[in-house]
Amino acid sequence: MNKPVLDVKDVPSFGQLVTLSLQHLFAMFGATILVPYLVGLSPAMALISSGLGTLAFLIVTKWQVPAYLGSSFAFITPIIAAKAAGGPGAAMIGSFLAGLVYGIVALAIKKAGYRWIMNLLPPIVVGPVIIVIGLGLANVAVSMAMNGPDGKYSLTHFSVAVVTLAATIMFSILSRGMFSLVPVLMGIIVGYVYALAVGVVDLSGVAKAKWIEMPDFLLPFVHYDVRVTLDIVLLMVPVAIVTLSEHIGHQLVLSKVVGRDYIKEPGLHRSIFGDGLATMISALIGGPPKTTYGENIGVLAITRVYSVYVLAGAAVLAIAFGFLGKVTALISSIPTPVMGGVSILLFGIIASSGLRMLVDSKIDFGDKRNLVISSVILVIGIGDAVVKVSEQFEVHGMALAAITGIVLNLILPGRPKVSDSVFEQKHDVA
């Protein structure tokens, strides 16, 4: 580990705090607002809930773990399905239950240690499931990129997506310094400017919006009735299997970046509970589920600024942005093909990170056991297979793929043992 510029508990000057916090805000901004854009939730609530969730995470982890929590891509398809089945309230109930699973897992880890969860979620299960998340959303990204508001193919709209995608790739690969940290945001800006030039942006909402405006909170018992159904549970809760593994991978990477063993202190149970609490808080106010962000871990690695106060500053700024009506209206005016262009790359990166997890973990596909598990997960997940016992009991695509992968890993002979040292487990920043 390189010597930190600011260590975890170091307090930056006011000027440093504002500048460095803005950098983290920009790093998470593009991906965090993309999720609510895709699932039909409020971008303002995504920002506010990410800020509140991050502050809750920092408190639960005793201000020892510098992490930012943004919108989770793993829940995109389940949220869309839950909204179709029971409205936005159903999606929020499902998100809350998924967060509750985190709390149960955290309690189990505190009592029994972490080895059991590593046995349950090895890379041969999680890698293919992450690939399913990315490739399962491919049709969504391409449709957003190619089609106009009427749902028909539009060359003009497709050109907007191509320009956005090209700009995002260029900033990701060729840029240096600050711009290299925010390629998604820069791609959206370039795409937006091009969309303005070709006349596919409607700015009427920005002109009408107030500078300070109350965001669209979505509160239980106020905006929807709380009713837990088996459909909601089966749609949302199994996704926690994937995001839990993602969380563990991020904690391992963050430990190496910062030079502290976060699995032991403050403990994996605390960070998992903090992640789950952030998701529950988000669900209670109308935001998407939360996850620790690899983008912000990348900022920590590059800047060597590990101060938790900087992450807290980014969280406060995100909350403030959520109440700026002009900002929210400007976000809402981003044309669909701009987000489609960005999504082509982002969803591909999600799938590729699953592949990289398999490579980094040195999974041997000459072993028929590994070949069988990964093959079944991929086809069930991407094919969106459904087990339908009755009208009230269904398990869909990604959730079914994850459950199947876990069962196969447990029952097939030749399962490798988990190392006594969690740091010997290979994980990648997703």
Side-chain angles (χ1 to χ4, degrees):
M1 182 196 70
N2 295 321
K3 183 178 179 182
V5 175
L6 287 172
D7 211 346
V8 175
K9 291 297 182 74
D10 289 347
V11 181
S13 66
F14 180 76
Q16 287 177 317
L17 179 63
V18 172
T19 303
L20 296 170
S21 295
L22 278 171
Q23 185 168 241
H24 275 284
L25 180 72
F26 290 150
M28 68 83 186
F29 196 88
T32 291
I33 65 169
L34 178 58
V35 174
Y37 190 96
L38 292 174
V39 302
L41 295 175
S42 165
M45 291 315 306
L47 290 173
I48 292 170
S49 60
S50 77
L52 292 174
T54 298
L55 291 175
F57 177 87
L58 293 173
I59 292 169
V60 168
T61 56
K62 302 191 291 188
W63 298 90
Q64 293 182 23
V65 183
Y68 194 93
L69 280 72
S71 305
S72 173
F73 281 81
F75 284 92
I76 290 174
T77 301
I79 288 176
I80 293 172
K83 283 186 67 182
M92 294 302 101
I93 293 167
S95 297
F96 185 89
L97 294 175
L100 198 59
V101 170
Y102 273 69
I104 296 170
V105 171
L107 182 62
I109 291 174
K110 181 175 174 61
K111 296 295 183 182
Y114 60 80
R115 284 176 57 88
W116 66 272
I117 196 169
M118 305 301 288
N119 271 308
L120 198 65
L121 298 171
I124 188 55
V125 173
V126 177
V129 172
I130 292 175
I131 295 171
V132 166
I133 294 172
L135 296 185
L137 292 166
N139 284 338
V140 175
V142 172
S143 295
M144 291 172 64
M146 293 195 309
N147 300 331
D150 58 359
K152 297 180 180 179
Y153 178 83
S154 167
L155 183 59
T156 301
H157 285 76
F158 194 31
S159 72
V160 172
V162 170
V163 168
T164 304
L165 175 61
T168 307
I169 292 171
M170 289 180 66
F171 277 107
S172 179
I173 295 176
L174 302 178
S175 60
R176 296 290 181 268
M178 176 63 178
F179 288 133
S180 68
L181 303 177
V182 288
V184 173
L185 180 64
M186 296 309 300
I188 290 173
I189 291 172
V190 172
Y192 190 86
V193 171
Y194 177 78
L196 278 171
V198 297
V200 297
V201 179
D202 180 8
L203 291 172
S204 59
V206 180
K208 295 175 183 176
K210 300 176 182 177
W211 278 107
I212 305 296
E213 202 168 86
M214 185 61 69
D216 297 324
F217 285 92
L218 189 61
L219 305 174
F221 303 107
V222 177
H223 299 110
Y224 60 90
D225 295 326
V226 175
R227 190 165 62 91
V228 178
T229 66
L230 190 58
D231 280 351
I232 295 174
V233 172
L234 293 175
L235 274 172
M236 301 289 288
V237 169
V239 184
I241 296 170
V242 182
T243 52
L244 276 167
S245 181
E246 178 185 41
H247 175 94
I248 294 169
H250 283 175
Q251 290 305 298
L252 291 169
V253 174
L254 188 60
S255 295
K256 293 174 182 177
V257 168
V258 179
R260 287 171 168 80
D261 187 349
Y262 287 131
I263 306 301
K264 293 181 180 178
E265 181 61 36
L268 185 60
H269 64 287
R270 278 188 173 272
S271 63
I272 285 178
F273 178 67
D275 204 334
L277 180 60
T279 292
M280 288 189 281
I281 290 171
S282 183
L284 289 173
I285 62 175
K290 296 292 172 277
T291 185
T292 49
Y293 258 24
E295 293 92 329
N296 295 88
I297 295 175
V299 172
L300 292 170
I302 292 169
T303 63
R304 292 183 289 121
V305 173
Y306 310 139
S307 173
V308 290
Y309 300 104
V310 171
L311 277 303
V316 172
L317 287 173
I319 295 169
F321 267 50
F323 287 92
L324 295 177
K326 293 284 188 185
V327 172
T328 302
L330 188 64
I331 293 170
S332 299
S333 73
I334 299 173
T336 300
V338 170
M339 289 305 196
V342 168
S343 298
I344 289 173
L345 180 61
L346 280 179
F347 296 161
I349 287 175
I350 292 171
S352 297
S353 69
L355 285 171
R356 184 167 179 179
M357 177 179 284
L358 295 172
V359 172
D360 287 352
S361 301
K362 299 179 180 178
I363 299 299
D364 178 13
F365 283 100
D367 184 338
K368 291 181 181 179
R369 182 181 189 277
N370 293 332
L371 194 61
V372 166
I373 293 172
S374 59
S375 299
V376 172
I377 290 173
L378 289 172
V379 173
I380 287 178
I382 296 173
D384 197 24
V386 179
V387 171
K388 187 174 183 179
V389 179
S390 67
E391 290 298 326
Q392 288 76 38
F393 188 90
E394 295 182 6
V395 185
H396 291 263
M398 181 175 61
L400 181 60
I403 293 168
T404 304
I406 289 173
V407 172
L408 286 174
N409 178 63
L410 292 175
I411 66 174
L412 291 179
R415 177 160 54 99
K417 293 182 179 180
V418 175
S419 169
D420 287 334
S421 172
V422 73
F423 282 97
E424 292 178 19
Q425 302 296 323
K426 299 281 190 178
H427 287 265
D428 183 54
V429 178

